[in-house]
């Protein structure tokens, strides 16, 4: 199958350059398809992230709450949501939610930045301030939802010529979005990224790059060239998480990954590598987050792999 799960810890797929490390397809066919199951477990949610590609998520079963800064979308089975390029977004569920998603570069549809497809449609769409996320109407936009489902199935089955069908169906979905936001499209292609979000992206990137070091709010604020109070305001207004809380969660999840991928490292070594001043401090926060000790988490991981 050409589809795959995104990994147990999507937080770790973000580079300091503010892009996902997770490859979406290949250079000659920049489109990735994902079959994923989210639960209420702390490491089974879709964390705050962003990428230069467009993303479309279809809820196969269960329910999911998707968020962008300032907006929540409560999704159920059959719902389909699109996220624009460069927009911070996340997702969570209180139960179990199976999704099917595709993340693709606009170039898959346009064929190049100098084509009519890029200049008239995709560049204005990805630069459209009004289009940050959009939940397709199940009645009036049922055709767009079906086009996505067909594209996903084509990528899954990978029959001869599937690339043509995937491109064709995703083009139809993009055209539906262009029609929906026709009155807001800017033919100049000028980006309209919100300043608060741009600052938060800079600060998140700084924390992800320097999580193993001793970081203060002042350090985080400095990454975006702003003061501490403005830093706190940006985080609260944009993703509703204080910067130090985000950093703690990121460190814990990096620690959880290290416990499984570095089996010979001691708990103390893992704690130091993730920015904690002591093994006991690491263990205390880890237990609060995962409801088990680091040692128990590592043991469970070994048992699952056997």
């Amino acid at each position: 199958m050409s589809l795959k799960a995104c990994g147990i810890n999507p937080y770790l797929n973000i580079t300091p350059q503010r892009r996902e490390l997770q490859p979406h397809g290949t250079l000659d066919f920049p489109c990735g398809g994902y079959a994923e199951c989210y639960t209420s477990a702390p490491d089974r949610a879709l964390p705050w992230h962003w990428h230069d590609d467009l993303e479309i998520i279809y809820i196969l079963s269960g329910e999911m709450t998707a968020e962008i800064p300032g907006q929540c979308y409560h999704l159920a089975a059959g719902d389909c949501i699109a996220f624009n390029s460069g927009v911070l977004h996340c997702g969570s569920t209180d139960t179990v939610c199976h999704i099917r998603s595709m993340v693709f570069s606009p170039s898959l549809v346009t064929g190049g930045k100098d084509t009519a497809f890029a200049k008239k449609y995709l560049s204005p769409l990805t630069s459209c301030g009004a289009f940050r996320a959009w939940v397709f109407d199940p009645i009036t936009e049922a055709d767009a939802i079906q086009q996505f489902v067909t594209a996903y199935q084509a990528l899954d089955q990978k029959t001869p010529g599937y690339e043509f069908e995937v491109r064709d169906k995703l083009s139809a979905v993009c055209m539906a979005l262009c029609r929906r936001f026709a009155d807001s499209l800017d033919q100049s292609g000028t980006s309209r990224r919100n300043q608060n979000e741009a600052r938060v992206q800079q600060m998140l990137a700084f924390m992800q790059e320097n999580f193993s070091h001793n970081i203060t709010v002042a350090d985080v604020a400095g990454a975006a060239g702003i003061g501490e109070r403005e830093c706190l305001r940006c985080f609260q207004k944009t993703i509703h998480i204080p910067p130090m809380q985000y950093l703690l969660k990121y460190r814990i999840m990096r620690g959880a990954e290290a416990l499984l991928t570095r089996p010979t490292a001691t708990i103390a070594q893992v704690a130091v590598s993730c920015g904690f001043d002591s093994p006991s401090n690491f263990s205390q926060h880890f237990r609060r987050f995962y409801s088990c000790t680091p040692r128990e988490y590592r043991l469970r991981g070994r048992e699952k792999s056997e």
Side-chain angles (χ1 to χ4, degrees), residues 80-205:
C80 187
I81 185 170
F83 296 100
N84 202 353
S85 167
V87 174
L88 280 164
H89 57 284
C90 71
S92 61
T93 181
D94 293 329
T95 55
V96 176
C97 179
H98 291 270
I99 72 165
R100 299 294 181 260
S101 68
M102 297 181 76
V103 184
F104 60 98
S105 169
S107 65
L108 177 74
V109 173
T110 65
K113 64 180 181 180
D114 295 322
T115 65
F117 304 104
K119 292 180 180 180
K120 292 180 64 176
Y121 305 103
L122 266 295
S123 290
L125 180 66
T126 56
S127 300
C128 178
F131 171 41
R132 296 160 54 70
W134 178 252
V135 179
F136 293 96
D137 187 285
I139 298 177
T140 62
E141 295 175 310
D143 183 62
I145 297 175
Q146 184 56 49
Q147 297 280 14
F148 170 77
V149 171
T150 302
Y152 181 92
Q153 291 172 342
L155 189 61
D156 182 13
Q157 296 167 7
K158 208 172 183 178
T159 55
Y162 75 94
E163 295 94 343
F164 285 107
E165 186 165 17
V166 170
R167 182 185 183 186
D168 176 59
K169 302 307 179 185
L170 290 181
S171 295
V173 175
C174 289
M175 192 65 245
L177 290 168
C178 285
R179 292 193 183 99
R180 173 62 184 78
F181 294 98
D183 294 338
S184 304
L185 296 185
D186 179 7
Q187 296 297 329
S188 70
T190 302
S191 177
R192 300 177 181 177
R193 190 165 51 152
N194 178 279
Q195 184 183 51
N196 286 332
E197 291 180 45
R199 287 172 169 175
V200 168
Q201 287 179 345
Q202 288 178 305
M203 292 185 282
L204 291 180

Side-chain angles (χ1 to χ4, degrees), residues 44-66:
R44 296 305 304 163
L46 181 66
W48 284 105
H49 70 290
W50 66 99
H51 37 68
D52 294 332
D53 299 326
L54 292 160
E55 180 171 6
I56 302 175
I57 295 177
Y58 176 80
I59 309 300
L60 186 65
S61 66
E63 297 181 349
M64 181 181 190
T65 298

Side-chain angles (χ1 to χ4, degrees), residues 20-73:
E20 278 191 319
L21 188 60
Q22 176 73 41
H24 303 302
T26 60
L27 288 176
D28 57 357
F29 192 71
C31 175
Y34 305 93
E36 188 62 278
C37 174
Y38 294 116
T39 72
S40 58
D43 57 352
R44 296 305 304 163
L46 181 66
W48 284 105
H49 70 290
W50 66 99
H51 37 68
D52 294 332
D53 299 326
L54 292 160
E55 180 171 6
I56 302 175
I57 295 177
Y58 176 80
I59 309 300
L60 186 65
S61 66
E63 297 181 349
M64 181 181 190
T65 298
E67 291 185 64
I68 62 172
Q71 184 70 50
C72 287
Y73 305 91

Side-chain angles (χ1 to χ4, degrees), residues 279-290:
S280 60
N281 189 27
F282 170 63
S283 296
Q284 178 184 5
H285 287 296
F286 193 96
R287 181 187 285 274
R288 287 169 52 193
F289 194 71
Y290 283 99

